[in-house]
Amino acid sequence: MAIESINHCEIDNECKKLAALLTRHTDSRGNGSHPTAIAKLEFRRVSDVSTSLHNVCEPLLVIVVQGKKTVLLGEETYHYSVAQYLTLSVDLPLRAFVVQATPEQPYLAFKLQLDLRQLCDILAETQVMEETGIIASNKENSVKGLFVSNADAPLIDCALRLTRLLDTPQDIPILAPMIVREIYYRLLMGEQGEAVRQIATSGSTMQRIAEAIKLIKANFTNLMRVEDLARNASMSASSFHYHFKAVTSMSPLQYQKQLKLLEARRLMLVEDCDATSAAYRVGYESSSQFSREYSRLFGAPPMGDIRRSRIA
């Protein structure tokens, strides 16, 4: 128990150091996601409890160092806070909102986009280490496309060292790739290591579902049959449906529907489309069906939601 307490204290202290750095790098930039000089790294800052954000997120690591956040995926809810991390292994439509933040203590998060090719390279090396007995193999099976875990001290230390490089930009080209590589290794060795491995394992169920997701994203305005998607994934229709839902927490049809509605929302917000035009452009033939399904997802009819979002 004493060792565990010391470890928790160490993690808390490291998170406070990282929060101080993120505060310094975002203080003058306000709320939002802020890119950095390090490729694929950005910081998220929110100074109040936010309205929900809807987006399709690509493979990503998020470490919370201050505040709390809730993410909705399909019908599942995930909560994460300080010293916890969220990992996405495939592109997923999410609804997310900050649930603990103030101007004095804003929500702060370290966000790193995952490069699956780099993860594959490191996985190949760890497999050699398993075969030679240098590290143990975890055979527990998991295919969830999103998970939340407790961060350990080595992972937080990696994030801290990577962030500190922003103060010595001349070191970034050489040292940043090395630290990012170490982050991937820590994820592979962490408590969700088997789930991370499936992201990078050629021919795994996770990779086949990921390929199907890419196909849906590229053709989301068209009607897509589960049988065709299953055939492309070399699965039976029933097996494909089961594994797709295990990874994404929704059926292929529900996934495609969310993509359509998210794109329609973007068209109305960014391109100032009216609801009927947006519905038609994303593949809806019935404006009433579009309005009904839009209201179910976003909590208000199309134009009412857009007015509310612009005010917020």
Side-chain angles (χ1 to χ4, degrees):
M1 289 295 292
I3 295 175
E4 185 178 353
S5 297
I6 291 172
N7 190 46
H8 280 308
C9 184
E10 178 186 359
I11 292 171
D12 288 343
N13 287 335
E14 294 295 279
C15 279
K16 288 177 182 177
K17 293 176 185 177
L18 188 52
L21 285 174
L22 266 61
T23 297
R24 177 158 60 83
H25 285 293
T26 61
D27 240 347
S28 62
R29 303 168 75 181
N31 290 336
S33 292
H34 304 294
T36 71
I38 298 173
K40 300 184 183 298
L41 175 65
E42 63 182 42
F43 303 140
R44 178 74 177 169
R45 178 189 179 106
V46 179
S47 61
D48 54 15
V49 177
S50 64
T51 55
S52 60
L53 298 175
H54 299 260
N55 203 3
V56 180
C57 295
E58 297 179 347
L60 183 70
L61 165 69
V62 181
I63 304 174
V64 176
V65 296
Q66 193 165 274
K68 295 181 180 179
K69 195 170 189 179
T70 295
V71 170
L72 305 179
L73 172 63
E75 297 180 354
E76 297 186 8
T77 302
Y78 297 83
H79 307 282
Y80 59 115
S81 57
V82 176
Q84 291 186 310
Y85 67 92
L86 174 144
T87 301
L88 298 180
S89 57
V90 295
D91 296 4
L92 292 173
L94 301 178
R95 179 184 176 195
F97 46 95
V98 172
V99 296
Q100 184 182 91
T102 66
E104 297 74 26
Q105 294 282 317
Y107 167 84
L108 296 169
F110 170 102
K111 298 174 65 177
L112 183 68
Q113 290 183 335
L114 297 180
D115 186 323
L116 300 188
R117 285 177 295 182
Q118 287 188 42
L119 197 55
C120 287
D121 292 341
I122 298 170
L123 176 62
E125 294 183 28
T126 63
Q127 286 173 336
V128 172
M129 295 169 71
E130 289 175 1
E131 291 167 3
T132 56
I134 296 175
I135 60 174
S137 174
N138 179 4
K139 298 302 183 183
E140 185 177 335
N141 187 39
S142 172
V143 294
K144 186 65 69 177
L146 179 156
F147 59 83
V148 173
S149 290
N150 295 318
D152 58 17
L155 181 61
I156 298 294
D157 178 62
C158 287
L160 190 55
R161 285 186 282 118
L162 187 63
T163 302
R164 281 176 175 155
L165 287 181
L166 295 172
D167 292 328
T168 56
Q170 69 275 13
D171 296 333
I172 289 174
I174 300 299
L175 297 182
M178 296 168 63
I179 299 174
V180 169
R181 180 180 173 84
E182 183 180 349
I183 288 174
Y184 291 169
Y185 174 77
R186 297 298 176 190
L187 290 175
L188 283 165
M189 295 297 104
E191 64 181 21
Q192 296 287 350
E194 183 58 27
V196 178
R197 286 162 189 265
Q198 290 192 34
I199 306 170
T201 300
S202 178
S204 67
T205 298
M206 177 74 80
Q207 279 211 349
R208 286 187 283 170
I209 296 301
E211 289 301 315
I213 285 172
K214 289 180 182 177
L215 191 59
I216 295 173
K217 284 187 68 180
N219 300 277
F220 70 89
T221 60
N222 301 320
L223 179 64
M224 302 194 72
R225 299 173 64 248
V226 170
E227 291 77 9
D228 295 333
L229 292 167
R231 190 178 306 110
N232 282 323
S234 300
M235 296 181 184
S236 68
S238 59
S239 177
F240 174 79
H241 191 280
Y242 170 81
H243 288 295
F244 191 97
K245 191 163 187 178
V247 171
T248 67
S249 297
M250 61 190 80
S251 70
L253 179 60
Q254 290 170 327
Y255 186 98
Q256 184 180 15
K257 184 184 296 182
Q258 288 213 16
L259 293 186
K260 286 186 175 186
L261 294 171
L262 284 166
E263 174 61 11
R265 190 172 194 260
R266 188 197 69 81
L267 290 170
M268 290 184 287
L269 272 172
V270 177
E271 299 187 19
D272 209 24
C273 277
D274 61 73
T276 301
S277 298
Y280 176 77
R281 286 176 61 175
V282 300
Y284 276 90
E285 296 180 357
S286 165
S287 58
S288 60
Q289 181 186 3
F290 169 72
S291 181
R292 188 165 55 249
E293 293 181 352
Y294 189 102
S295 299
R296 192 175 299 128
L297 180 61
F298 297 111
M303 299 318 295
D305 172 61
I306 298 305
R307 283 193 298 271
R308 180 179 62 184
S309 298
R310 286 176 174 156
I311 293 171

